[in-house]
Amino acid sequence: MENAPAIEIKDLTKTYRATKKADAKLALKGVDLTVPRGSIFGLLGPNGAGKSTLINIIAGLVTKSSGSVKICGYDIETQTRQARASIGVVPQEISMDVYFTPWQSLENQAGYYGVPKSERRSDEILAALGLADKRNAYVRSLSGGMKRRLLIGKALVHNPPVLILDEPTAGVDIELRRQLWHYVEDLHSKGTTIILTTHYLEEAESLCDQIAIIHNGEITANENKSTLLNRLDQKTLVITPTRARKTIPAGLKDLDCAIREDGTVAISYRTQQTSFSDLLAKVKASKISIADLRTEQPDLEDVFMALTYDRDETP
């Protein structure tokens, strides 16, 4: 269904039943979420927020309690085959048969999805992921990073229009991380919708064009990246004096001002309450000898903390 969103979730709930060791838990509380086609979509949240439950329901690994989930317009309950064929999932945990070769792993996975041999792309996928030279090696001989790349390959054998990456760079070195993102961006450029969960917020800020934040089983934000980053009406003016400061100038003590370890003066202000020109006038009146100055804006980590930090909890 070409005009349907990549993912469409309405009023989704999930309650885990009570066990001898734990009470019943409401993991998802009426989640509504739409992932546009062709986006790189970030799904972020602290541990225990409901990310894994949500992804596992989409992937068909966990049964929802109520609500609806559609993948490319296909309902996961009534059109299960089409829905699952529309998605590839790269799990967080590395799990595969170590006695197959990478090529055999991809071929077997393609067979599970009913991909005819004439349409399989095992060698093409291995080459794209930098695993061509490991084609006939046993999976058990691969490094952790290579196994993670192979997991991505397995998720792509049936050429799904939607790819979910669940913490794909956890424990991966910087060079491999860059290679993975280069390949992901290439997939995206060819029309694949990417859904990314990650604890590396700088990755989400760099890669994603839309971001949703889930907290305590609820979506607390779902906006394009620029709108989300502008949620915090705050900037910081950082002044580098010609001589490092140890104390706050008297003329700036009525502002949210601090001296940083490097001797710079940092003044935080709200853009809707204080104009930059008025702030500079105060700085000039304080007679600081300025060598340089710059402004800092909130990043995704600042917004994430503002939306997920429970003020009644101990930080």
Side-chain angles (χ1 to χ4, degrees):
M1 300 185 183
E2 292 184 3
N3 296 324
I7 303 289
E8 187 176 15
I9 298 172
K10 292 183 178 179
D11 199 24
L12 181 65
T13 67
K14 174 60 183 179
T15 301
Y16 289 102
R17 282 184 266 178
T19 65
K20 292 181 179 179
K21 296 183 179 180
D23 296 332
K25 180 183 179 182
L26 180 58
L28 296 177
K29 306 171 184 177
V31 168
D32 291 315
L33 185 66
T34 299
V35 178
R37 285 276 187 118
S39 63
I40 299 185
F41 189 95
L43 178 62
L44 311 180
N47 290 332
K51 296 192 307 295
S52 294
T53 296
L54 183 57
I55 288 172
N56 287 336
I57 289 174
I58 295 171
L61 301 176
V62 169
T63 303
K64 61 186 174 64
S65 297
S66 64
S68 67
V69 179
K70 292 182 180 180
I71 304 172
C72 296
Y74 299 111
D75 189 280
I76 62 170
E77 275 193 322
T78 60
Q79 298 166 297
T80 305
R81 188 181 181 114
Q82 297 97 320
R84 292 190 181 179
S86 299
I87 196 167
V89 180
V90 180
Q92 186 176 154
E93 293 80 18
I94 296 176
S95 177
M96 59 185 72
D97 194 322
V98 297
Y99 294 101
F100 285 128
T101 67
W103 185 85
Q104 289 170 332
S105 294
L106 297 188
E107 286 291 298
N108 288 340
Q109 189 79 358
Y112 296 149
Y113 279 97
V115 180
K117 288 189 175 183
S118 61
E119 297 177 15
R120 295 180 188 177
R121 304 176 298 118
S122 299
D123 285 313
E124 176 189 330
I125 293 171
L126 289 175
L129 291 171
L131 293 173
D133 60 335
K134 301 294 182 181
R135 180 186 190 275
N136 298 315
Y138 286 116
V139 169
R140 67 173 182 267
S141 69
L142 302 183
S143 67
M146 290 177 180
K147 289 176 182 175
R148 196 165 290 281
R149 277 184 274 176
L150 184 56
L151 281 178
I152 295 177
K154 290 180 68 175
L156 293 172
V157 293
H158 58 298
N159 199 30
V162 181
L163 180 66
I164 293 181
L165 302 172
D166 189 7
E167 299 287 348
T169 56
V172 170
D173 63 48
I174 293 175
E175 182 180 356
L176 178 54
R177 191 177 300 172
R178 287 176 178 171
Q179 291 175 359
L180 287 175
W181 291 137
H182 178 75
Y183 185 59
V184 166
E185 288 174 333
D186 184 55
L187 285 172
H188 175 248
S189 70
K190 296 175 181 176
T192 303
T193 301
I194 310 292
I195 300 172
L196 167 69
T197 77
T198 180
H199 281 99
Y200 298 110
L201 297 183
E202 69 277 8
E203 287 185 346
E205 186 171 350
S206 171
L207 291 164
C208 299
D209 43 52
Q210 186 163 339
I211 295 171
I213 296 177
I214 185 170
H215 183 48
N216 291 331
E218 299 176 293
I219 300 296
T220 59
N222 180 15
E223 299 165 356
N224 68 61
K225 182 172 59 181
S226 60
T227 301
L228 188 62
L229 291 174
N230 286 330
R231 270 197 175 212
L232 298 185
D233 175 32
Q234 184 173 317
K235 287 187 178 181
T236 301
L237 174 64
V238 182
I239 302 166
T240 303
T242 53
R243 290 185 180 181
R245 301 282 312 192
K246 293 184 179 179
T247 60
I248 298 172
L252 301 180
K253 287 187 176 180
D254 61 332
L255 301 175
D256 185 1
C257 186
I259 304 297
R260 294 183 174 178
E261 291 183 0
D262 59 0
T264 57
V265 181
I267 306 171
S268 296
Y269 66 100
R270 294 192 176 279
T271 57
Q272 293 184 3
Q273 296 176 356
T274 305
S275 72
F276 189 68
S277 59
D278 289 344
L279 190 61
L280 281 180
K282 278 201 168 189
V283 170
K284 185 176 180 180
S286 71
K287 297 182 180 179
I288 295 179
S289 178
I290 301 173
D292 191 17
L293 57 81
R294 69 182 188 277
T295 58
E296 295 176 347
Q297 296 190 11
D299 59 15
L300 184 57
E301 183 175 351
D302 297 318
V303 178
F304 180 84
M305 290 300 296
L307 292 173
T308 62
Y309 173 57
D310 289 325
R311 299 189 182 279
D312 57 342
E313 296 179 359
T314 301

